[in-house]
Amino acid sequence: MKSLPSGTVEAEVLSDVLGRIRQAWLDPAIGSPVQGLRAGTEVFGGQVIEAPTLGAVLGLPTWRMQELLGCQPRFDRLPFAESARRRCTLVDDASSAGAGDSREQRLLITDPFDTDTVAWARTRFGRLTPVLVSDETFDAWLAHCEAGLSALGAASLTGEVSGQASASATAEHIDLRQIGHGEGPAVRFVNATLYDALKVGASDIHLECGPSGLAVKFRLDGVLTAIQQTDDASLALQAINRIKVMAQLDIAERRVPQDGRLQVAYAGRAVDLRVSIMPSIHGEDAVLRILDRQHLAQSLAGLTLAKLGFDEPTAAALRALCRKPHGMLLVTGPTGSGKTTTLYAAIAETHQARDKIITIEDPVEYQLPGVLQIPINERKGLTFARGLRSILRHDPDKILVGEIRDAETAQIAIQAALTGHLVFTTVHANTVFDVVGRFAQFGIDAYTFASAINGVMAQRLLRRLCSHCAEAVPWPTEWAGDDADLQGLPRHQARLMRACGCEHCRGSGYAGRFALGELLRLTPTLRALIAERAPHRELQAEAARAGWQSLRRLALRAAYDGLTSLEEVDRVAA
Ligand SMILES: [Zn+2]
């Protein structure tokens, strides 16, 4: 193969052909005249159209790798996986004046005759100047960007990972090269969505069918975020079907909810996803919970209470509660508030070889060295209650019960705490004081509960402001909150910030989360008040005397110190 030399007859013929194509391209009404003609295509007896030739004929600038490497990709506007799938992307032009958003943006395209993609990009991003790059250059550049992205992710990881699962033979492999090519649009769409979700560290993927197509949302840092909307109803149906096939569900059944699991191989590791399909009036919705244990294990390696965001007094109090000879430490909060992670960190920090620790969990999320961990298996009858009974015969010193959600487990756990074991567990409740009522529902009387409990912590995760774009603001003058919540701190000295959004935080204004916990340590007076069922108000007053601070106060303090915004405080700890 050789390139077309300029000035030959072939070049003139080609120029004429391409001139007409150019007319068609400039006037979308004519439509795509040539299918499959692009840079790298062989024409006229084995000669190849090089990207610059094609670009020159079409009047399009053409970039090589050198120019591309000088540009900043805008994956915040057109995500990486979508770029790979559509074979086009957005970049900030390095040669234009200004910085950040004031720079001119360019639309990189690989196929100038793909009028659908060009039209789509114009609707979404306006009239950006297209720049032509060859397929080869585009792939190489994306691979380069991908390596950069994963290097960033790896930089924040510490420690060794143990017990990593290897991808099973049936796992679907999700990688860049596969997304761009081959198979049907639904397969590419699902793979790109999974890839993107794993890349950004989403915890859940929501695919929602509406009257006009499919909405894709990711749960990022605990907040559901719209990612993509397609108005292709047939793609919606096929994408849901594809997920059902991957999860080995019945694709013919569309009227009842179905649950399953699937596994994908991503970045050399196996990632499990729990799939839930729900019928709706517009078809079916799918929610995929990502159970990326290895990633979790990596992010938990070297885990400490301080790293989770707890202040030193709270961390010290938690460690003290973990060193008690017996009794119960309870962590409460909504789903996904990091309850178990806190217990892992507290145990990891205080674990000594002379203690025998046994856990029962659903599922085992993180492997603790030197700890016997048992996953519950309800299908085989290994429930929390049954597992806990067996554990007690195994002579442990400390026991972690992943969650108390039924009366039987509550009763065995309380008995264990009263008979010389230290029990760590979590329960669903809003505040530390609501926990008393929750155990009353499990049939535990107030006196027994007060005797067994050493401490209760209610926990929330708050989004941390992005350090690249947060903007200092004065404390609002019309703030409706109670000044007592600021504990006498002068408002004018607050380092309050607001969320803005930039490319580092995908426009959300936040990056990562930190934990806050209101911790109630039981004093003899508090035990007596709980045992005699004193009203919450009285408990709260006594707790405050003993140093307890409400979540709201702790959250406001975090906003005062510039860690998070007032909006986030109101969202999480109203
Ligand atoms: Zn930012």
Side-chain angles (χ1 to χ4, degrees), residues 194-220:
L194 290 172
Y195 183 89
D196 240 7
L198 289 164
K199 183 122 242 165
V200 298
S203 61
D204 303 81
I205 304 167
H206 293 231
L207 301 175
E208 297 171 358
C209 289
S212 60
L214 185 70
V216 179
K217 297 173 186 169
F218 291 169
R219 190 169 293 282
L220 295 165

PDB file of all heavy atoms in Angstrom, residues 194-220:
ATOM      1  N   LEU A 194     -21.379   0.131  31.604  1.00  0.00           N
ATOM      2  CA  LEU A 194     -20.702  -0.562  32.709  1.00  0.00           C
ATOM      3  C   LEU A 194     -19.291  -0.021  32.883  1.00  0.00           C
ATOM      4  O   LEU A 194     -18.834   0.233  33.996  1.00  0.00           O
ATOM      5  CB  LEU A 194     -20.631  -2.069  32.422  1.00  0.00           C
ATOM      6  CG  LEU A 194     -21.954  -2.836  32.474  1.00  0.00           C
ATOM      7  CD1 LEU A 194     -21.760  -4.264  31.972  1.00  0.00           C
ATOM      8  CD2 LEU A 194     -22.500  -2.846  33.890  1.00  0.00           C
ATOM      9  N   TYR A 195     -18.632   0.163  31.746  1.00  0.00           N
ATOM     10  CA  TYR A 195     -17.244   0.632  31.777  1.00  0.00           C
ATOM     11  C   TYR A 195     -17.164   2.001  32.444  1.00  0.00           C
ATOM     12  O   TYR A 195     -16.344   2.250  33.333  1.00  0.00           O
ATOM     13  CB  TYR A 195     -16.719   0.701  30.339  1.00  0.00           C
ATOM     14  CG  TYR A 195     -15.263   1.098  30.241  1.00  0.00           C
ATOM     15  CD1 TYR A 195     -14.272   0.126  30.272  1.00  0.00           C
ATOM     16  CD2 TYR A 195     -14.897   2.423  30.123  1.00  0.00           C
ATOM     17  CE1 TYR A 195     -12.940   0.478  30.194  1.00  0.00           C
ATOM     18  CE2 TYR A 195     -13.571   2.791  30.044  1.00  0.00           C
ATOM     19  CZ  TYR A 195     -12.587   1.808  30.077  1.00  0.00           C
ATOM     20  OH  TYR A 195     -11.285   2.171  29.999  1.00  0.00           O
ATOM     21  N   ASP A 196     -18.046   2.893  32.018  1.00  0.00           N
ATOM     22  CA  ASP A 196     -18.064   4.243  32.569  1.00  0.00           C
ATOM     23  C   ASP A 196     -18.349   4.232  34.070  1.00  0.00           C
ATOM     24  O   ASP A 196     -17.717   4.947  34.839  1.00  0.00           O
ATOM     25  CB  ASP A 196     -19.159   5.056  31.871  1.00  0.00           C
ATOM     26  CG  ASP A 196     -18.584   6.271  31.172  1.00  0.00           C
ATOM     27  OD1 ASP A 196     -17.345   6.377  31.129  1.00  0.00           O
ATOM     28  OD2 ASP A 196     -19.376   7.091  30.695  1.00  0.00           O
ATOM     29  N   ALA A 197     -19.312   3.387  34.463  1.00  0.00           N
ATOM     30  CA  ALA A 197     -19.709   3.337  35.876  1.00  0.00           C
ATOM     31  C   ALA A 197     -18.540   2.859  36.736  1.00  0.00           C
ATOM     32  O   ALA A 197     -18.269   3.396  37.805  1.00  0.00           O
ATOM     33  CB  ALA A 197     -20.909   2.421  36.041  1.00  0.00           C
ATOM     34  N   LEU A 198     -17.829   1.830  36.246  1.00  0.00           N
ATOM     35  CA  LEU A 198     -16.698   1.302  37.003  1.00  0.00           C
ATOM     36  C   LEU A 198     -15.571   2.320  37.035  1.00  0.00           C
ATOM     37  O   LEU A 198     -14.910   2.497  38.048  1.00  0.00           O
ATOM     38  CB  LEU A 198     -16.219  -0.011  36.376  1.00  0.00           C
ATOM     39  CG  LEU A 198     -17.188  -1.181  36.583  1.00  0.00           C
ATOM     40  CD1 LEU A 198     -16.880  -2.319  35.625  1.00  0.00           C
ATOM     41  CD2 LEU A 198     -17.126  -1.666  38.022  1.00  0.00           C
ATOM     42  N   LYS A 199     -15.384   2.985  35.922  1.00  0.00           N
ATOM     43  CA  LYS A 199     -14.294   3.963  35.823  1.00  0.00           C
ATOM     44  C   LYS A 199     -14.497   5.110  36.816  1.00  0.00           C
ATOM     45  O   LYS A 199     -13.560   5.563  37.454  1.00  0.00           O
ATOM     46  CB  LYS A 199     -14.248   4.505  34.391  1.00  0.00           C
ATOM     47  CG  LYS A 199     -13.134   5.468  34.145  1.00  0.00           C
ATOM     48  CD  LYS A 199     -12.233   4.997  33.030  1.00  0.00           C
ATOM     49  CE  LYS A 199     -10.840   4.761  33.530  1.00  0.00           C
ATOM     50  NZ  LYS A 199     -10.000   4.002  32.664  1.00  0.00           N
ATOM     51  N   VAL A 200     -15.725   5.600  36.942  1.00  0.00           N
ATOM     52  CA  VAL A 200     -15.953   6.749  37.829  1.00  0.00           C
ATOM     53  C   VAL A 200     -16.255   6.321  39.258  1.00  0.00           C
ATOM     54  O   VAL A 200     -16.439   7.156  40.129  1.00  0.00           O
ATOM     55  CB  VAL A 200     -17.087   7.680  37.320  1.00  0.00           C
ATOM     56  CG1 VAL A 200     -16.728   8.259  35.983  1.00  0.00           C
ATOM     57  CG2 VAL A 200     -18.421   6.955  37.265  1.00  0.00           C
ATOM     58  N   GLY A 201     -16.317   4.988  39.502  1.00  0.00           N
ATOM     59  CA  GLY A 201     -16.537   4.516  40.868  1.00  0.00           C
ATOM     60  C   GLY A 201     -17.968   4.675  41.342  1.00  0.00           C
ATOM     61  O   GLY A 201     -18.214   4.940  42.519  1.00  0.00           O
ATOM     62  N   ALA A 202     -18.932   4.510  40.407  1.00  0.00           N
ATOM     63  CA  ALA A 202     -20.344   4.579  40.810  1.00  0.00           C
ATOM     64  C   ALA A 202     -20.688   3.374  41.678  1.00  0.00           C
ATOM     65  O   ALA A 202     -20.074   2.319  41.552  1.00  0.00           O
ATOM     66  CB  ALA A 202     -21.235   4.597  39.565  1.00  0.00           C
ATOM     67  N   SER A 203     -21.665   3.520  42.571  1.00  0.00           N
ATOM     68  CA  SER A 203     -22.087   2.377  43.374  1.00  0.00           C
ATOM     69  C   SER A 203     -23.281   1.666  42.743  1.00  0.00           C
ATOM     70  O   SER A 203     -23.479   0.477  42.963  1.00  0.00           O
ATOM     71  CB  SER A 203     -22.436   2.820  44.795  1.00  0.00           C
ATOM     72  OG  SER A 203     -23.498   3.741  44.764  1.00  0.00           O
ATOM     73  N   ASP A 204     -24.086   2.377  41.972  1.00  0.00           N
ATOM     74  CA  ASP A 204     -25.254   1.786  41.322  1.00  0.00           C
ATOM     75  C   ASP A 204     -25.435   2.380  39.939  1.00  0.00           C
ATOM     76  O   ASP A 204     -25.114   3.542  39.714  1.00  0.00           O
ATOM     77  CB  ASP A 204     -26.543   2.081  42.111  1.00  0.00           C
ATOM     78  CG  ASP A 204     -26.483   1.598  43.544  1.00  0.00           C
ATOM     79  OD1 ASP A 204     -25.886   2.302  44.386  1.00  0.00           O
ATOM     80  OD2 ASP A 204     -27.008   0.509  43.800  1.00  0.00           O
ATOM     81  N   ILE A 205     -25.988   1.542  39.043  1.00  0.00           N
ATOM     82  CA  ILE A 205     -26.341   2.011  37.705  1.00  0.00           C
ATOM     83  C   ILE A 205     -27.853   1.873  37.567  1.00  0.00           C
ATOM     84  O   ILE A 205     -28.393   0.801  37.847  1.00  0.00           O
ATOM     85  CB  ILE A 205     -25.669   1.145  36.620  1.00  0.00           C
ATOM     86  CG1 ILE A 205     -24.155   1.125  36.805  1.00  0.00           C
ATOM     87  CG2 ILE A 205     -26.061   1.605  35.233  1.00  0.00           C
ATOM     88  CD1 ILE A 205     -23.472   0.044  35.968  1.00  0.00           C
ATOM     89  N   HIS A 206     -28.521   2.932  37.184  1.00  0.00           N
ATOM     90  CA  HIS A 206     -29.969   2.865  36.967  1.00  0.00           C
ATOM     91  C   HIS A 206     -30.253   3.037  35.475  1.00  0.00           C
ATOM     92  O   HIS A 206     -29.798   4.004  34.873  1.00  0.00           O
ATOM     93  CB  HIS A 206     -30.684   3.986  37.729  1.00  0.00           C
ATOM     94  CG  HIS A 206     -30.614   3.843  39.215  1.00  0.00           C
ATOM     95  ND1 HIS A 206     -31.721   3.907  40.016  1.00  0.00           N
ATOM     96  CD2 HIS A 206     -29.576   3.628  40.049  1.00  0.00           C
ATOM     97  CE1 HIS A 206     -31.364   3.740  41.288  1.00  0.00           C
ATOM     98  NE2 HIS A 206     -30.054   3.572  41.327  1.00  0.00           N
ATOM     99  N   LEU A 207     -31.001   2.100  34.913  1.00  0.00           N
ATOM    100  CA  LEU A 207     -31.462   2.249  33.533  1.00  0.00           C
ATOM    101  C   LEU A 207     -32.977   2.369  33.611  1.00  0.00           C
ATOM    102  O   LEU A 207     -33.655   1.422  34.009  1.00  0.00           O
ATOM    103  CB  LEU A 207     -31.068   1.033  32.688  1.00  0.00           C
ATOM    104  CG  LEU A 207     -29.571   0.727  32.583  1.00  0.00           C
ATOM    105  CD1 LEU A 207     -29.352  -0.563  31.809  1.00  0.00           C
ATOM    106  CD2 LEU A 207     -28.841   1.869  31.898  1.00  0.00           C
ATOM    107  N   GLU A 208     -33.494   3.540  33.259  1.00  0.00           N
ATOM    108  CA  GLU A 208     -34.921   3.784  33.424  1.00  0.00           C
ATOM    109  C   GLU A 208     -35.570   4.004  32.068  1.00  0.00           C
ATOM    110  O   GLU A 208     -35.169   4.894  31.320  1.00  0.00           O
ATOM    111  CB  GLU A 208     -35.142   5.010  34.318  1.00  0.00           C
ATOM    112  CG  GLU A 208     -34.592   4.807  35.721  1.00  0.00           C
ATOM    113  CD  GLU A 208     -34.593   6.084  36.558  1.00  0.00           C
ATOM    114  OE1 GLU A 208     -34.993   7.151  36.036  1.00  0.00           O
ATOM    115  OE2 GLU A 208     -34.183   6.000  37.731  1.00  0.00           O
ATOM    116  N   CYS A 209     -36.595   3.175  31.777  1.00  0.00           N
ATOM    117  CA  CYS A 209     -37.303   3.333  30.518  1.00  0.00           C
ATOM    118  C   CYS A 209     -38.430   4.340  30.687  1.00  0.00           C
ATOM    119  O   CYS A 209     -39.268   4.197  31.569  1.00  0.00           O
ATOM    120  CB  CYS A 209     -37.894   1.993  30.070  1.00  0.00           C
ATOM    121  SG  CYS A 209     -36.637   0.848  29.527  1.00  0.00           S
ATOM    122  N   GLY A 210     -38.431   5.372  29.851  1.00  0.00           N
ATOM    123  CA  GLY A 210     -39.503   6.362  29.880  1.00  0.00           C
ATOM    124  C   GLY A 210     -40.298   6.268  28.597  1.00  0.00           C
ATOM    125  O   GLY A 210     -40.051   5.385  27.768  1.00  0.00           O
ATOM    126  N   PRO A 211     -41.255   7.177  28.405  1.00  0.00           N
ATOM    127  CA  PRO A 211     -42.074   7.125  27.187  1.00  0.00           C
ATOM    128  C   PRO A 211     -41.239   7.313  25.924  1.00  0.00           C
ATOM    129  O   PRO A 211     -41.602   6.833  24.856  1.00  0.00           O
ATOM    130  CB  PRO A 211     -43.060   8.278  27.376  1.00  0.00           C
ATOM    131  CG  PRO A 211     -42.508   9.125  28.473  1.00  0.00           C
ATOM    132  CD  PRO A 211     -41.644   8.240  29.307  1.00  0.00           C
ATOM    133  N   SER A 212     -40.090   7.997  26.024  1.00  0.00           N
ATOM    134  CA  SER A 212     -39.346   8.317  24.805  1.00  0.00           C
ATOM    135  C   SER A 212     -37.945   7.734  24.793  1.00  0.00           C
ATOM    136  O   SER A 212     -37.082   8.223  24.087  1.00  0.00           O
ATOM    137  CB  SER A 212     -39.268   9.841  24.660  1.00  0.00           C
ATOM    138  OG  SER A 212     -38.597  10.371  25.790  1.00  0.00           O
ATOM    139  N   GLY A 213     -37.682   6.709  25.583  1.00  0.00           N
ATOM    140  CA  GLY A 213     -36.347   6.127  25.521  1.00  0.00           C
ATOM    141  C   GLY A 213     -35.822   5.758  26.887  1.00  0.00           C
ATOM    142  O   GLY A 213     -36.571   5.471  27.810  1.00  0.00           O
ATOM    143  N   LEU A 214     -34.498   5.817  26.967  1.00  0.00           N
ATOM    144  CA  LEU A 214     -33.834   5.262  28.145  1.00  0.00           C
ATOM    145  C   LEU A 214     -32.993   6.334  28.831  1.00  0.00           C
ATOM    146  O   LEU A 214     -32.233   7.042  28.183  1.00  0.00           O
ATOM    147  CB  LEU A 214     -32.923   4.123  27.686  1.00  0.00           C
ATOM    148  CG  LEU A 214     -32.208   3.296  28.744  1.00  0.00           C
ATOM    149  CD1 LEU A 214     -33.209   2.426  29.493  1.00  0.00           C
ATOM    150  CD2 LEU A 214     -31.165   2.413  28.083  1.00  0.00           C
ATOM    151  N   ALA A 215     -33.148   6.441  30.166  1.00  0.00           N
ATOM    152  CA  ALA A 215     -32.298   7.345  30.939  1.00  0.00           C
ATOM    153  C   ALA A 215     -31.294   6.510  31.714  1.00  0.00           C
ATOM    154  O   ALA A 215     -31.656   5.502  32.318  1.00  0.00           O
ATOM    155  CB  ALA A 215     -33.138   8.177  31.903  1.00  0.00           C
ATOM    156  N   VAL A 216     -30.029   6.919  31.655  1.00  0.00           N
ATOM    157  CA  VAL A 216     -28.982   6.244  32.421  1.00  0.00           C
ATOM    158  C   VAL A 216     -28.574   7.168  33.561  1.00  0.00           C
ATOM    159  O   VAL A 216     -28.296   8.342  33.352  1.00  0.00           O
ATOM    160  CB  VAL A 216     -27.746   5.956  31.543  1.00  0.00           C
ATOM    161  CG1 VAL A 216     -26.652   5.278  32.369  1.00  0.00           C
ATOM    162  CG2 VAL A 216     -28.127   5.106  30.353  1.00  0.00           C
ATOM    163  N   LYS A 217     -28.608   6.629  34.789  1.00  0.00           N
ATOM    164  CA  LYS A 217     -28.177   7.404  35.955  1.00  0.00           C
ATOM    165  C   LYS A 217     -27.178   6.587  36.756  1.00  0.00           C
ATOM    166  O   LYS A 217     -27.316   5.368  36.833  1.00  0.00           O
ATOM    167  CB  LYS A 217     -29.379   7.756  36.846  1.00  0.00           C
ATOM    168  CG  LYS A 217     -30.388   8.646  36.149  1.00  0.00           C
ATOM    169  CD  LYS A 217     -31.633   8.825  36.977  1.00  0.00           C
ATOM    170  CE  LYS A 217     -32.683   9.606  36.198  1.00  0.00           C
ATOM    171  NZ  LYS A 217     -33.989   9.585  36.873  1.00  0.00           N
ATOM    172  N   PHE A 218     -26.200   7.260  37.335  1.00  0.00           N
ATOM    173  CA  PHE A 218     -25.242   6.601  38.218  1.00  0.00           C
ATOM    174  C   PHE A 218     -25.416   7.164  39.621  1.00  0.00           C
ATOM    175  O   PHE A 218     -25.667   8.368  39.776  1.00  0.00           O
ATOM    176  CB  PHE A 218     -23.792   6.891  37.807  1.00  0.00           C
ATOM    177  CG  PHE A 218     -23.372   6.255  36.508  1.00  0.00           C
ATOM    178  CD1 PHE A 218     -22.165   6.628  35.914  1.00  0.00           C
ATOM    179  CD2 PHE A 218     -24.151   5.295  35.883  1.00  0.00           C
ATOM    180  CE1 PHE A 218     -21.758   6.056  34.721  1.00  0.00           C
ATOM    181  CE2 PHE A 218     -23.756   4.725  34.681  1.00  0.00           C
ATOM    182  CZ  PHE A 218     -22.547   5.106  34.107  1.00  0.00           C
ATOM    183  N   ARG A 219     -25.260   6.323  40.627  1.00  0.00           N
ATOM    184  CA  ARG A 219     -25.168   6.848  41.984  1.00  0.00           C
ATOM    185  C   ARG A 219     -23.691   7.097  42.273  1.00  0.00           C
ATOM    186  O   ARG A 219     -22.888   6.177  42.315  1.00  0.00           O
ATOM    187  CB  ARG A 219     -25.780   5.879  43.008  1.00  0.00           C
ATOM    188  CG  ARG A 219     -25.902   6.525  44.387  1.00  0.00           C
ATOM    189  CD  ARG A 219     -26.733   5.682  45.347  1.00  0.00           C
ATOM    190  NE  ARG A 219     -28.149   5.585  44.994  1.00  0.00           N
ATOM    191  CZ  ARG A 219     -29.055   6.544  45.209  1.00  0.00           C
ATOM    192  NH1 ARG A 219     -28.703   7.677  45.757  1.00  0.00           N
ATOM    193  NH2 ARG A 219     -30.309   6.362  44.862  1.00  0.00           N
ATOM    194  N   LEU A 220     -23.342   8.379  42.423  1.00  0.00           N
ATOM    195  CA  LEU A 220     -21.959   8.785  42.645  1.00  0.00           C
ATOM    196  C   LEU A 220     -21.885   9.492  43.984  1.00  0.00           C
ATOM    197  O   LEU A 220     -22.655  10.434  44.208  1.00  0.00           O
ATOM    198  CB  LEU A 220     -21.513   9.756  41.543  1.00  0.00           C
ATOM    199  CG  LEU A 220     -21.440   9.184  40.130  1.00  0.00           C
ATOM    200  CD1 LEU A 220     -21.353  10.299  39.106  1.00  0.00           C
ATOM    201  CD2 LEU A 220     -20.250   8.255  40.003  1.00  0.00           C
TER     202      LEU A 220
END
